[in-house]
Each structure stands twice: as structure tokens, then as C-alpha cells.
Amino acid sequence: MKLDSGHTVTAVEGEEKAKLKKHFVGYPDGLVRVSPDRWLFPGRYMDLGNDYYNFEFRKDDVLIMTYPKCGTTWTQEIVWTMRNNPDLDNPDAPWAVMDRVPFIEFDLFFPKHPPEGMEIVATNAFQRYCPEGDLRGAFNLQLSRAIPEPRTLKTHLPFSLFLPDLLEKSKVIYVARNPKDMLISYLHHHRLLRNQEFIGTLEEFADHFISDDLVYGPYWLHLKEAWQKRDHPNLHFVFYEDLKADIKGELKKLDAFLGTGLSEDQFANVEKYTSFSEMKARDSLFFNSEVSKNDALYNQEIRTKDGGFFRQGQSGGWKTKLTPEVTKKMDEWIRQKCDFGIKFK
Ligand code: PPS
């Protein structure tokens, strides 16, 4: 099927499907490739890809764009707090991050035909902003459209799968992370979340990454598209490692980019409220923190053994997790594929 972006989307079938299905036992609606770039997405992209491409961005929107596990949730909380809650008195702050900063294409991860007994419950934001909405349709897309301005939104889609005038209309914050730490975090994610469940080894996961066989890949192309636009005044390109190394300095840069004009007290509020320990303690990623305790959604064995969504929140953890062989393969991947000027920290 031809998309409005000019790409072609096809269901993953045959040998490729068998290779992926061996390790990825989640993704109930299968997977699709978007050609010629070989983007890999859950099957519902076939129906929803054009809605994402044609999403109507507005002047005051801030879009947080990342490849998965690069610091999206942290940045979502930082930006929403800077824009909407710098004095920590906004009554909506206890809502889940995903309710205040909707994930435009999150519906890709909900089955097209939810099985009997799977109940999708209207969240606080959905009740308020989509009172006539259809919970069995693409409810995250409805919410993304409906929240009031100024909107802060999240996506893992790359630039080329949105209209080309995105940066003329809205601001984008792109967060990149060292691929070796991203890999460890993405593997954990695929073991933790049942809807994306992965049952192979670290070595096998790394091989899928290197072959551009992980959902939202290829990572190198995702990065390259953003890197090449990094001098656009409406794009703020930041590394997770820089946020970790100097959060005060990075908040100042974000303040200048967003025009939020925060006071020193407000900077201190944002820094504390969005610290790893505070975000982990609130565990408010999803619509309901009970989600993480539900074994049908989160693998409780992995959660107990390796941690939940807020796993470690550090840079450089790969040094103790990756074998020398995997490190070598990743270094080679960086050398070959990331040859467009980016230097990982
Ligand atoms: S997702 O699912 O793709 O949106 O994940 P994403 O939010 O991009 O990345 C998750 C990793 O970010 C870490 N994290 C944080 N690090 C530092 N400070 C704060 N406040 C914070 N919040 C989340 C999270 O722990 C994941 O990294 P790992 O390495 O797995 O700990």
C-alpha cells in the first residue's frame, strides 16, 4: 500500500516473519516494513500511518521526538513541568505522563481487535478532552488532537514520516542516546512489556538491532534525519548523556529554546521534580500506575529481577552488561552506519 509520505507499507511475511516471530512473541497485529527505508512498525501502522503523516501540528506545539529508550519520558516530564507546572501547583500534575503529554502513535501497541475481557478505560485526560471519543478506535491519536494548547506531544516516529513542514509549524526536541545504553534499555523494555515480548538472548537482540530488525529502526537513519536538521531554529537536539552530566545547564538551554523564562526557584523545582528518583517513586508513566503490577501487561518476574520502566537511569551501564563480542559489533555498527558526523558521548 502506498502512503501519503510516498513510502510503501507491506506486511512482514515469509522468512522474515519467521525470523522475527522466533524471538518477538508480542506484536499481536504482526509487523510492517515501510520502504524504501525499511522502517519497522507494529501492524496497525498500515491503517494509521497516513493519520500520523498528516497530523496537524500547531504553532505552540512542542514535539518530543526520539528513538525508543533515549530519554523520552524524562524529557516529556521536564518540558511539561517547565511549560505547565514550574511552581509545582498544577492540579493535573499527578496524571500519568502519557495523559499530559500524549504519545501520538501509541495506538500501534494496542491490538486492533482487543480480545474479550481486555478493557480499555478512559483516562483522566480522555474523559475531559474527548468526552465523545471512541475508546475502541485510535484513542491516543484522538487525545493528541484534542488536548488544549499549548500542546506537548511525544513520538518515536522519524522526521520523514511527518509532513515536511513540521519544523516550520512547531518546535521539536530530539533526544539521542548512546546506542549501547539504548540497546540494554530496549532489551529490558522488550522483556518487561508483554505486548512487545522478546524471548531471546542479549546477543540475539543485538543482532536484530544491527540488522535494522527492531521496531522503530533503523536507529542510524532516525538519528541521521534529525542530525541533518540540527541547525534549524525550531529543532533542539540534545543527548541523554548531556542531560545526565549537566541537568542545570541543559534546563537553561531548554528554557531559551521554549521561551519559558523560568526563575531560579522554578529551575530548582523542575530539576528536583523530574529527577530519576522522584519520577521512579511516582511511577506515573502510564495512565494508571497499577499497570506495572499487572502480569498480563508487565512481566512481573523481570520487574522484580531487573527493574521496572524506571530501571537504572544512568549513562555507561553498557560497560558491565555488554560482552566484548557485542561491544565490538556495536562499535562496528557505529563506525559503518553513523558516519554522518554524530559523536556519541
Ligand atoms: S520509551 O519507552 O521509549 O519512551 O523510554 P524512554 O523514556 O525513552 O527511555 C527510558 C529510559 O530513560 C530512563 N529514565 C530516566 N533517566 C534519568 N532521569 C529520569 N528522570 C528518567 N526517567 C526515565 C529510564 O530509566 C530508561 O533507561 P534505563 O537505562 O533503562 O534505566
Side-chain angles (χ1 to χ4, degrees), residues 31-42:
L31 294 163
V32 295
R33 285 280 185 196
V34 176
S35 307
D37 303 321
R38 298 188 71 246
W39 300 112
L40 185 68
F41 298 121

Side-chain angles (χ1 to χ4, degrees), residues 27-91:
Y27 299 115
D29 292 307
L31 294 163
V32 295
R33 285 280 185 196
V34 176
S35 307
D37 303 321
R38 298 188 71 246
W39 300 112
L40 185 68
F41 298 121
R44 283 188 80 187
Y45 189 86
M46 185 81 85
D47 295 339
L48 294 169
N50 277 335
D51 287 318
Y52 303 143
Y53 182 72
N54 294 305
F55 189 87
E56 286 182 26
F57 287 99
R58 302 182 199 137
K59 185 169 73 61
D60 289 329
D61 289 344
V62 174
L63 178 64
I64 296 162
M65 177 186 282
T66 71
Y67 184 82
K69 312 319 286 184
C70 291
T72 333
T73 315
W74 188 14
T75 311
Q76 285 171 271
E77 194 63 295
I78 288 174
V79 174
W80 191 85
T81 307
M82 289 179 80
R83 298 182 94 194
N84 304 84
N85 193 26
D87 295 316
L88 305 185
D89 57 359
N90 188 321

Side-chain angles (χ1 to χ4, degrees), residues 100-301:
R100 291 175 282 117
V101 184
F103 179 8
I104 297 177
E105 77 277 9
F106 195 23
D107 298 300
L108 295 180
F109 297 90
F110 288 79
K112 186 169 176 178
H113 303 291
E116 195 72 15
M118 178 178 167
E119 198 194 353
I120 298 176
V121 183
T123 64
N124 293 311
F126 196 83
Q127 285 176 35
R128 186 190 291 169
Y129 301 124
C130 305
E132 310 292 322
D134 172 15
L135 267 183
R136 294 186 83 81
F139 68 96
N140 293 281
L141 183 60
Q142 295 167 58
L143 183 63
S144 303
R145 288 175 176 148
I147 61 163
E149 294 167 19
R151 299 185 300 183
T152 306
L153 298 161
K154 155 182 171 173
T155 189
H156 291 314
L157 294 174
F159 269 105
S160 56
L161 297 178
F162 288 108
L163 284 169
D165 65 354
L166 168 57
L167 283 174
E168 308 313 317
K169 291 206 162 158
S170 309
K171 291 189 172 165
V172 177
I173 298 172
Y174 189 94
V175 192
R177 189 177 189 187
N178 184 307
K180 295 176 196 163
D181 278 334
M182 179 284 300
L183 187 82
I184 303 282
S185 186
Y186 208 13
L187 171 62
H188 174 65
H189 180 100
H190 273 91
R191 286 177 168 160
L192 185 67
L193 270 73
R194 299 278 192 199
N195 63 348
Q196 291 175 263
E197 191 158 7
F198 174 80
I199 53 169
T201 63
L202 163 66
E203 286 72 15
E204 286 162 338
F205 193 77
D207 285 342
H208 284 296
F209 172 75
I210 285 163
S211 320
D212 299 334
D213 283 345
L214 296 187
V215 161
Y216 284 112
Y219 183 37
W220 60 270
L221 186 55
H222 205 291
L223 288 166
K224 185 175 178 181
E225 289 186 2
W227 184 255
Q228 289 176 338
K229 297 183 193 312
R230 71 191 183 287
D231 293 329
H232 192 291
N234 273 347
L235 175 62
H236 183 75
F237 194 108
V238 61
F239 285 92
Y240 177 93
E241 291 74 19
D242 285 336
L243 291 169
K244 283 299 299 180
D246 178 19
I247 188 66
K248 286 185 178 43
E250 293 301 326
L251 289 181
K252 292 257 150 109
K253 289 184 202 164
L254 277 169
D255 184 59
F257 177 70
L258 296 169
T260 34
L262 300 194
S263 67
E264 288 308 316
D265 283 352
Q266 291 174 327
F267 277 119
N269 285 343
V270 175
E271 181 181 347
K272 184 162 185 305
Y273 192 73
T274 64
S275 65
F276 182 75
S277 56
E278 294 225 356
M279 286 186 63
K280 185 177 164 122
R282 291 198 297 276
D283 193 19
S284 63
L285 166 72
F286 284 127
F287 304 123
N288 173 348
S289 60
E290 289 303 305
V291 164
S292 59
K293 298 183 191 121
N294 181 340
D295 193 56
L297 302 171
Y298 265 49
N299 182 326
Q300 295 305 314
E301 201 187 314

